[in-house]
Amino acid sequence: MSYLLDTNTLRENELQSVVLQDGTRLLVGRAGEHFFAIENLCTHAYVSFGSPRVKGCKITCPWHGLTFDMLSGQCDDWPGLPKLRRFEVEAREGALFLGQQP
């Protein structure tokens, strides 16, 4: 597993950007005790989320207003849209680690 960041740096309803060694750009967040990591790419327009709105496990793309569930990857507004690319994460001893892509 690869280290991503310290869990105490993640605040509720905020995201942090992390770039993996292969260049993949992630958004990492927290909702209560749940941590998540998604690729920083809207599957509607295939552009970076830029400055999205975040509430709990939901992310709203600023470009067209579509809302996604970051735990499932599913778009709430357009069920047929491809899911967000999600990454498994594990919180351990105050740090967040990247697992495998589901």
Side-chain angles (χ1 to χ4, degrees):
M1 293 195 142
S2 300
Y3 169 83
L4 289 175
L5 45 78
D6 290 338
T7 56
N8 64 359
T9 64
L10 286 173
R11 294 187 178 147
E12 190 86 20
N13 299 322
E14 291 183 358
L15 298 172
Q16 286 193 29
S17 295
V18 175
V19 180
L20 302 180
Q21 286 182 323
D22 68 0
T24 302
R25 297 179 180 279
L26 302 183
L27 293 175
V28 181
R30 140 187 243 158
E33 294 304 311
H34 297 283
F35 295 93
F36 47 82
I38 61 169
E39 185 172 15
N40 187 359
L41 187 70
C42 176
T43 58
H44 168 247
Y46 291 96
V47 295
S48 158
F49 277 105
S51 299
R53 290 187 311 271
V54 178
K55 185 171 184 181
C57 295
K58 306 289 183 171
I59 183 171
T60 302
C61 182
W63 304 109
H64 297 104
L66 296 177
T67 300
F68 295 85
D69 183 304
M70 290 183 279
L71 295 177
S72 71
Q74 184 68 48
C75 181
D76 293 345
D77 306 303
W78 193 349
L81 202 62
K83 291 182 177 184
L84 298 177
R85 183 175 174 201
R86 298 170 297 119
F87 295 81
E88 289 183 25
V89 292
E90 181 181 330
R92 232 184 8 210
E93 300 174 11
L96 195 63
F97 296 88
L98 180 67
Q100 302 296 316
Q101 178 187 353

